[in-house]
Every structure is written in C-alpha cells, then in structure tokens.
Amino acid sequence: CVGQSAIRRFASTAVDVDFANVGAVHAPDFEPGLLPALARLSVQQRTVVLLVHGHGWSQAEVARTLEINPSTVREHLARALDRLRSELENDNGN
C-alpha cells in the first residue's frame, strides 16, 4: 500500500529530538512553553516544524529529504502549528 510505504520511509528518516530536560533550558528568545509543547507533538510533526521553522528549510526540501509527498509535509506542518498555537494560548490563559 502506498500510504504504508510512505509511513515506513518517513519513520526511518524522522529526527527524534530528546526533550527530556526541557525544563533546564533557558532561552529568552522564545516562549517558555514552546519546548514542552514541541515534545508533545508526534515525531513526524516535530521533525517538519523544526526543519521548516527552526532551520529555514522549504517544505519542498523537507519532502525531498524525508522522501515523502509535499502534501504530507504541509499536513504535518499545519496540524502541528494548530496544536502549538492552541497549547501556547491555553498556557497563557487566553
């Protein structure tokens, strides 16, 4: 099945970032709740967010590198950003 093949390819190339010590990190340039919120994303969503917004890659570059469809990158990015916005707004009492 095409979907299963894409999932296997993506799972083997996703970058799993260790956020175990996120409380110990202090970076004044971004929202303090961002790292814990990133840690709660799926590995696929977190990988796409970090590559696109953290490293400035284009969605097309991410798709080529991870060997997935560009629409999959867009979907992971959109869902991840929606979830991050929602969690960070809730953390700030909005």
Side-chain angles (χ1 to χ4, degrees):
C1 177
V2 173
Q4 290 177 344
S5 296
I7 289 171
R8 277 194 291 272
R9 273 197 319 271
F10 191 89
S12 66
T13 57
V15 178
D16 191 8
V17 178
D18 179 15
F19 286 98
N21 296 319
V22 294
V25 175
H26 175 69
D29 295 342
F30 59 88
E31 169 66 38
L34 180 60
L35 290 179
L38 282 168
R40 290 187 290 273
L41 295 176
S42 71
V43 172
Q44 295 88 354
Q45 289 176 350
R46 184 169 51 248
T47 300
V48 170
V49 168
L50 291 174
L51 291 175
V52 172
H53 290 287
H55 295 285
W57 290 24
S58 71
Q59 292 179 28
E61 290 171 320
V62 173
R64 279 193 305 276
T65 301
L66 299 179
E67 298 178 341
I68 59 175
N69 193 304
S71 65
T72 303
V73 172
R74 282 190 299 276
E75 188 64 27
H76 282 308
L77 188 60
R79 288 182 182 184
L81 293 177
D82 285 347
R83 184 168 175 190
L84 289 171
R85 281 185 199 105
S86 174
E87 287 193 27
L88 293 174
E89 285 174 0
N90 288 337
D91 287 348
N92 291 327
N94 293 336

